[in-house]
Amino acid sequence: LASGGNKSVVFFKGSLEGTILVTTSASSRNTPSYPRIESVSKARCYWPFDSHSAATHSGPRAMININDGMLGQSTISGNVLFNGCRESDDHGNFNSWDRTPMLHVAADGSNSWSPDTSTVSRNLILNSYGASHGIDHDDGSNFWNDVINVVGFSHACKGNYGSNRNCSGNLVIGPGMHDMFGSGTSGGPCAYESNNGHGSTFAKKFFQYNTCVNPTAGTVQAYFFQSCNTKDADTPELNGTVWATRGNRFWNLPGAAVEVPCKGGSIPLKNWQTMYGQDVGALAEDMPAVSDVMTAARLILQVQSPNTPEESRDRSKMFP
């Protein structure tokens, strides 16, 4: 699915007959409408879906949307996604769903109902305009590896049910500075899980070795896991109510306190580590110069710095 302006193009290619649908929708941000088919043409269908080195923006909903119930093995890499969700405000520039599973031959040659792992890496994702999440995995979306991306103005990864997801090595800049209602706020979480009610939905989900830049004073949320519950917890994942966190770095304004919301209260980062065994090795530090943040972003995106002699610094100084 590719979007631009008020049009979306759904395209498939490969060995099976398919269609290209060019749809239009209402231009009003606050009045979503059903799409209207403008033109239809024949194409071919294939999977996996790969997107590389594209700049996609200004669409009514997500810039890339994938039903991951079909096979997996997709790669989303080297793209620039911004100014999405102009009509909906309820998801991210990248959005995946889990819908009807498909029986297929997996990468190891076995028959499987579960998709193989897909990867989202080295993308620049800016949550301007309506997008309210960074890399958004909805409705039981499974088997995703979200690594080494730069996400601006939102948490890096969001989940809604699902399992087997890894969100690691990302640079998150200003999470919470643009929410789904369009108001600028700060201190937002670096990862987010919503609508969870069962511990099993947190099986094999990880938020590790990310760097979160939060230019706000006062209290900063490390992450938000809606079902977080410390009662009777005997595992680091609190009996499956949170993701496994480790080695994250939080860059904040001087004096800011990093906390983890949990069951109506908040747990200071140090207690989160010592009492519950979470985020071992995490650091809360004063935010460095903007030039250092830009250097970190260029290193992730593999973009050459305009100030090479000054900014050719060791990546180990930027990330844990």
Side-chain angles (χ1 to χ4, degrees):
L1 171 65
S3 302
N6 67 340
K7 294 185 177 182
S8 297
V9 180
V10 184
F11 61 94
F12 304 90
K13 61 182 179 178
S15 59
L16 301 176
E17 286 297 323
T19 58
I20 297 176
L21 306 179
V22 180
T23 67
T24 60
S25 54
S27 59
S28 170
R29 175 186 177 195
N30 298 316
T31 312
S33 67
Y34 292 104
R36 174 177 65 85
I37 295 177
E38 182 177 280
S39 63
V40 179
S41 60
K42 286 293 182 181
R44 294 183 177 274
C45 180
Y46 92 119
W47 204 261
F49 172 79
D50 291 338
S51 176
H52 301 280
S53 304
T56 311
H57 62 91
S58 303
R61 290 184 65 81
M63 298 295 91
I64 297 175
N65 191 295
I66 291 179
N67 169 16
D68 67 15
M70 183 178 176
L71 313 188
Q73 305 178 41
S74 295
T75 302
I76 312 299
S77 180
N79 302 283
V80 179
L81 309 176
F82 65 97
N83 206 28
C85 309
R86 290 167 62 93
E87 291 184 0
S88 52
D89 284 2
D90 65 343
H91 50 282
N93 283 298
F94 175 85
N95 193 201
S96 69
W97 306 334
D98 182 52
R99 292 293 189 262
T100 304
M102 305 285 291
L103 182 63
H104 65 283
V105 178
D108 63 4
S110 64
N111 293 327
S112 177
W113 288 102
S114 297
D116 288 320
T117 299
S118 294
T119 299
V120 180
S121 70
R122 298 198 187 279
N123 300 283
L124 174 61
I125 303 175
L126 301 177
N127 286 276
S128 51
Y129 211 94
S132 55
H133 305 292
I135 302 168
D136 187 2
H137 297 302
D138 275 332
D139 306 338
S141 193
N142 298 302
F143 299 100
W144 284 93
N145 199 30
D146 306 325
V147 294
I148 321 179
N149 298 279
V150 177
V151 179
F153 318 128
S154 177
H155 31 270
C157 301
K158 175 255 185 179
N160 184 343
Y161 301 99
S163 60
N164 294 278
R165 297 201 302 263
N166 175 35
C167 183
S168 297
N170 302 287
L171 174 64
V172 195
I173 302 174
M177 292 187 72
H178 185 90
D179 64 23
M180 65 182 67
F181 303 106
S183 59
T185 59
S186 57
C190 304
Y192 191 99
E193 178 82 18
S194 66
N195 296 330
N196 175 64
H198 305 282
S200 61
T201 64
F202 278 125
K204 297 182 180 179
K205 288 204 273 197
F206 305 92
F207 187 75
Q208 301 180 339
Y209 305 108
N210 300 280
T211 297
C212 188
V213 184
N214 221 322
T216 183
T219 301
V220 171
Q221 292 184 1
Y223 12 72
F224 177 82
F225 306 127
Q226 191 170 29
S227 70
C228 181
N229 189 347
T230 60
K231 183 179 179 181
D232 300 324
D234 57 8
T235 68
E237 290 77 35
L238 307 187
N239 295 337
T241 65
V242 299
W243 300 2
T245 58
R246 175 179 288 272
N248 296 292
R249 177 169 288 182
F250 302 93
W251 285 347
N252 314 299
L253 293 182
V258 180
E259 298 183 347
V260 180
C262 188
K263 202 177 173 84
S266 291
I267 302 172
L269 179 62
K270 286 188 177 180
N271 292 355
W272 185 243
Q273 296 171 301
T274 58
M275 295 175 62
Y276 303 107
Q278 277 277 352
D279 224 338
V280 175
L283 297 173
E285 302 173 314
D286 289 349
M287 191 173 71
V290 172
S291 60
D292 287 336
V293 178
M294 294 298 294
T295 297
R298 292 188 187 105
L299 287 167
I300 284 179
L301 299 173
Q302 298 180 333
V303 176
Q304 184 175 1
S305 168
N307 303 307
T308 304
E310 177 184 349
E311 297 184 359
S312 58
R313 303 178 184 180
D314 185 353
R315 186 176 187 276
S316 65
K317 296 179 181 178
M318 303 293 174
F319 303 97

